Amino acid sequence: MSKLLLTWWTWFIWSHTTVELLQAWHEVVIFDNLANSDQSVCDRIQQITGIAPVFVQGDIRSLEDLRGVFADHSFDGVIHFAGLKAVGVSCEDPFGYYENNIVGSMNLLRVMDEHEVRKLIFSSSATVYDAAASQAPFAEDAPTGNTTNPYGTTKFVIEQLLKDMSNWKQMDITSLRYFNPVGAHQSWLLGEDPTDIPTNLLPVMMEVVEGKREKLSVFGNDYDTTDGTCLRDYIHVVDLAKAHQIARESQWSGYEVYNVWTGSGTSVAQMITILEWVSDKPFPFENVDRRDGDIAISVANVWKIENKLWRKANLGVKEALEDAMRFRGKAW
Ligand code: WQD
C-alpha cells in the first residue's frame, strides 16, 4: 500500500499502530530515540505480524537524524507520534516538552517539505479543547486553546503549525485527537508498561493489581458527576491503532481533525467496579484531594469520525481492562 515513517516515543500506542499498518500491507520504518522505549518491542511486532519492521534510531530534535532517514527511504507519508505525553511532568519540565514536541515537529515538517512528502497523520490530544469555553462531549469544531498544562499547549501549538503547512505547503494532514487510550493487544504481547513512574489511571491500577502499590488514590470524589469522580472517554488502543490505518488510507486533501473516540464516559469509580468484576477481587482505593488540572468530564462527540471516517469503536472498557490484565501477566 504505502511506505510510512512512524516517529515513535513511548511504544504503547505506536507499537499497536505498527501492527495494524503492517497487517494492512503498509511498509513501516520506525524512527525512535529509545529514550522511552525498547527495541525489543520490534521482535514482538514480528511475532504478531510475521514481518520485521525496519527500525532506525534517531531523534526528531536532530535535523541531521531526520535528513538521514529521509535520504535513505522514499516515504509516501508520515505518522507522527513523537512527543512527551505526561501532563504532570510537563508542568515540571515545560522547556523539555516544548523542545521535544514543538521543535521536534517543526524539524520533521521542514524535512518532509525538503523531500516533498506531503501526507501526515498527527497524534494530537483531547487536551487541546478549551474546557472552560465548552462542555463535553467535545466536537472537533469546539473551542481549543487556553490549555491548562504545557503538554496540552504543545499539542495545540503543533495543530496551528499543521494548519499552516496545509495552507502554505500543500500538505494533506489529519490530526487525531486522542481521548484516553487504554488496554493491550489481544496477543498479550503488546500493552502499556511505562518505564517511568506511571501517572495515567490504568497503569496505576495495574500496579495495584500487581502489588506494586498498596491502593489507588482517587483524585477527587466531589465533582459534579453521578458518583462524584471524573468521567473520561477510554478508547481501546487497538481501536485507536486501527483509526490511524483508516485515516491514512482515506486521507483527503487539506487539514482534517477527528476525535478518537467512543463517545462514552466512564468514571473512576466505575473503572474500579469493572476491574473488580473482571478480576473477581476487591480493589483497594482511597478518596483523596483533586489533582490540579483535572476536568470533571472529558468525552468525545463522535459524529464526525463515525460518519465521515469510519464507524463505532469495536472494543469497550471491560475488554480494555481484561486485555491490560492479561498483558501484565495477571490472567486469572
Ligand atoms: C484519568 C482519570 C484522574 C490517576 C491525560 C492526558 C491525555 C491523554 C491521557 C495522551 C482522571 C484519575 C488518575 C490516579 C486518579 N494523554 N486518576 N488516580 O488526565 O484524563 O488524560 O492522559 O494522549 O491527553 O491529558 O488521564 O489517566 O491521568 O486520568 O484518580 O492515580 O483518572 O483524576 O480523572 P487524563 P489520566
Side-chain angles (χ1 to χ4, degrees):
M1 295 281 278
S2 60
K3 185 167 187 177
L4 302 170
L5 175 72
L6 270 60
T7 59
W8 276 25
W9 190 258
T10 51
W11 55 268
F12 171 40
I13 295 165
W14 336 148
S15 56
H16 289 79
T17 305
T18 302
V19 165
E20 298 305 324
L21 292 169
L22 290 173
Q23 290 180 331
W25 305 112
H26 295 281
E27 196 178 345
V28 169
V29 175
I30 297 164
F31 185 82
D32 184 1
N33 67 4
L34 292 179
N36 286 278
S37 54
D38 182 322
Q39 198 174 341
S40 67
V41 72
C42 293
D43 300 332
R44 287 182 245 167
I45 291 171
Q46 184 172 5
Q47 265 185 271
I48 296 167
T49 65
I51 305 168
V54 175
F55 180 89
V56 174
Q57 185 170 353
D59 196 313
I60 58 171
R61 292 169 295 185
S62 161
L63 276 170
E64 182 184 0
D65 287 359
L66 283 166
R67 285 173 172 146
V69 73
F70 274 82
D72 293 343
H73 300 273
S74 173
F75 295 116
D76 300 299
V78 176
I79 300 186
H80 178 38
F81 296 106
L84 298 165
K85 70 172 224 44
V87 170
V89 175
S90 76
C91 299
E92 298 161 11
D93 180 20
F95 296 110
Y97 271 68
Y98 301 153
E99 185 188 12
N100 273 283
N101 296 8
I102 298 174
V103 174
S105 297
M106 286 169 58
N107 289 343
L108 174 67
L109 293 167
R110 179 190 295 277
V111 178
M112 283 178 69
D113 183 49
E114 290 170 356
H115 290 263
E116 298 187 352
V117 177
R118 301 264 173 241
K119 302 278 185 184
L120 174 68
I121 306 286
F122 172 60
S123 155
S124 190
S125 170
T127 46
V128 304
Y129 287 115
D130 181 349
S134 61
Q135 298 295 315
F138 298 117
E140 287 84 351
D141 60 359
T144 58
N146 194 24
T147 47
T148 59
N149 57 75
Y151 163 76
T153 300
T154 66
K155 293 295 188 179
F156 173 72
V157 167
I158 295 164
E159 282 201 9
Q160 309 315 305
L161 299 178
L162 298 181
K163 288 178 192 170
D164 281 354
M165 289 298 103
S166 176
N167 290 331
W168 311 116
K169 287 290 185 179
Q170 294 73 49
M171 288 189 177
D172 298 329
I173 299 171
T174 303
S175 286
L176 300 179
R177 288 179 183 159
Y178 299 177
F179 277 72
N180 288 64
V182 290
H185 194 265
Q186 286 91 338
S187 65
W188 310 357
L189 290 170
L190 299 176
E192 187 172 21
D193 190 8
T195 51
D196 49 7
I197 297 171
T199 58
N200 290 137
L201 180 65
L202 202 73
V204 169
M205 293 179 87
M206 289 300 108
E207 287 199 344
V208 173
V209 169
E210 294 166 353
K212 292 180 183 172
R213 275 180 203 238
E214 183 191 349
K215 55 192 163 186
L216 171 73
S217 296
V218 175
F219 296 142
N221 65 333
D222 58 351
Y223 285 95
D224 185 16
T225 62
T226 49
D227 59 30
T229 63
C230 296
L231 266 69
R232 292 294 181 271
D233 195 331
Y234 296 101
I235 174 72
H236 195 294
V237 64
V238 171
D239 274 331
L240 184 135
K242 288 184 188 297
H244 290 78
Q245 173 213 333
I246 301 301
R248 172 72 276 280
E249 293 170 357
S250 54
Q251 202 156 21
W252 299 286
S253 62
Y255 182 70
E256 281 289 357
V257 178
Y258 291 98
N259 286 329
V260 186
W261 76 110
T262 88
S264 301
T266 305
S267 72
V268 178
Q270 288 169 329
M271 290 289 273
I272 291 170
T273 302
I274 297 168
L275 185 56
E276 288 181 327
W277 177 29
V278 300
S279 64
D280 197 23
K281 293 178 185 173
F283 182 83
F285 71 94
E286 63 172 341
N287 292 310
V288 299
D289 293 338
R290 296 182 176 190
R291 178 175 68 177
D292 290 344
D294 276 338
I295 60 175
I297 301 173
S298 174
V299 172
N301 176 315
V302 297
W303 185 91
K304 187 175 179 184
I305 187 169
E306 292 186 355
N307 290 277
K308 282 195 70 176
L309 184 63
W310 197 18
R311 50 160 168 74
K312 285 189 178 302
N314 260 333
L315 301 164
V317 172
K318 178 175 175 291
E319 290 87 350
L321 285 167
E322 286 174 336
D323 292 336
M325 291 272 293
R326 289 191 184 103
F327 167 69
R328 299 281 289 237
K330 292 293 166 282
W332 51 95

